[in-house]
Amino acid sequence: MGIGFPHVVRAVPHGQPVQDSDMCPRRDPAAPEQPPCAPGTREPAAPAPRRPAPSQVADHEDLEVRASAAHDRHTPPEAVHRLTHDPDPAVRAAPARHPHLPPTRLAELLDDEELAHHAAANPTLEPGLLHELVESGGQRAK
């Protein structure tokens, strides 16, 4: 163990794993408010990026955030619904398969030429409706 200088690193016996606290002079177990060091370095780790609230992801300016939300099982139904109207086609397709897609919107997407194939793969699609789609070659009776 070091003798109290912030630049001294505790010696680790050969064959023992090196832990962040062995490498990082700024990490003090008695002071949890200090940021941990990046693994294998003596520098503080960068703070984790803040993720928008689930209710805000559908309107986020970053395409990757919206696409990620479209695949996230924790995205709330109202955000999933809004994502089906996204300007990007790849983002629109993912929520059509999302289990939180409201049933009324799922029914609408089955009649949407662009998204019907994706909506038909939704795990919450009623078995009777799925059977109807299979029997009709993908065409819904209106």
Side-chain angles (χ1 to χ4, degrees):
M1 188 147 51
I3 55 174
F5 298 112
H7 63 280
V8 175
V9 178
R10 180 170 71 89
V12 178
H14 181 70
Q16 297 294 316
V18 176
Q19 299 177 3
D20 287 344
S21 59
D22 297 328
M23 294 290 296
C24 185
R26 293 182 186 94
R27 187 171 178 116
D28 179 5
E33 71 280 353
Q34 292 180 341
C37 284
T41 72
R42 296 174 58 105
E43 299 300 320
R50 287 197 57 178
R51 186 170 180 181
S55 61
Q56 299 172 338
V57 292
D59 303 318
H60 200 276
E61 64 185 33
D62 187 341
L63 171 68
E64 290 183 23
V65 170
R66 296 191 318 271
S68 175
H71 291 280
D72 186 345
R73 64 184 178 96
H74 298 294
T75 302
E78 63 276 2
V80 174
H81 182 276
R82 287 197 317 271
L83 286 165
T84 63
H85 296 287
D86 195 89
D88 186 270
V91 173
R92 277 195 306 274
R97 298 173 184 243
H98 199 286
H100 290 166
L101 183 63
T104 53
R105 183 62 179 145
L106 176 57
E108 292 170 4
L109 294 182
L110 289 169
D111 293 328
D112 182 299
E113 187 175 313
E114 176 191 11
L115 299 175
H117 179 77
H118 301 284
N122 191 301
T124 64
L125 190 62
E126 294 179 17
L129 188 51
L130 182 58
H131 182 71
E132 177 187 322
L133 289 170
V134 171
E135 292 293 318
S136 67
Q139 301 299 314
R140 271 188 57 187
K142 296 188 181 188

